[in-house]
């Protein structure tokens, strides 16, 4: 027994559900391949802010981990 082909709407719904369930926010291919697009300065600034926040959180976590050891 063969499968009945999905309609375009069913396909898009299935993809959206998969992305929601798995926390996918970006196309993996877009993340892996370099782009030739021009990125707006506001997006570059947001990426820098994100990186700085992640680094600050990492350092804070490290400090919290080291604090009990130093005492």
């Amino acid at each position: 027994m063969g499968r009945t082909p999905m309609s375009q709407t069913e396909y898009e719904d299935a993809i959206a559900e998969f992305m929601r369930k798995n926390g996918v926010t970006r196309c993996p291919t877009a993340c892996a391949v370099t782009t030739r697009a021009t990125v707006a300065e506001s997006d570059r600034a947001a990426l820098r802010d994100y990186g700085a926040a992640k680094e600050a959180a990492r350092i804070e976590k490290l400090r919290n981990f080291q604090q009990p050891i130093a005492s």
Side-chain angles (χ1 to χ4, degrees), residues 6 13 17 19 21-22 25 28 31 41 47 49 54 59 66-67 70-71:
M6 285 184 162
D13 290 346
E17 181 181 351
M19 292 174 73
K21 282 183 178 179
N22 294 292
T25 57
C31 296
E41 179 55 37
L47 181 60
D49 291 347
K54 293 288 278 184
I59 290 170
Q66 291 177 335
Q67 193 173 14
S71 298

Side-chain angles (χ1 to χ4, degrees), residues 4 6 9 17 23-24 30 34 40 45 54 56 58-59 65:
T4 304
M6 285 184 162
T9 303
E17 181 181 351
V24 177
T34 58
K54 293 288 278 184
R58 186 189 70 78
I59 290 170
F65 177 75

Side-chain angles (χ1 to χ4, degrees), residues 29-39:
T29 305
C31 296
V33 178
T34 58
T35 181
R36 294 186 181 167
T38 302
V39 179

Side-chain angles (χ1 to χ4, degrees), residues 2-21:
R3 287 185 157 163
T4 304
M6 285 184 162
S7 71
Q8 184 64 30
T9 303
E10 290 171 323
Y11 175 77
E12 290 171 0
D13 290 346
I15 296 296
E17 181 181 351
F18 174 85
M19 292 174 73
R20 265 193 313 278
K21 282 183 178 179

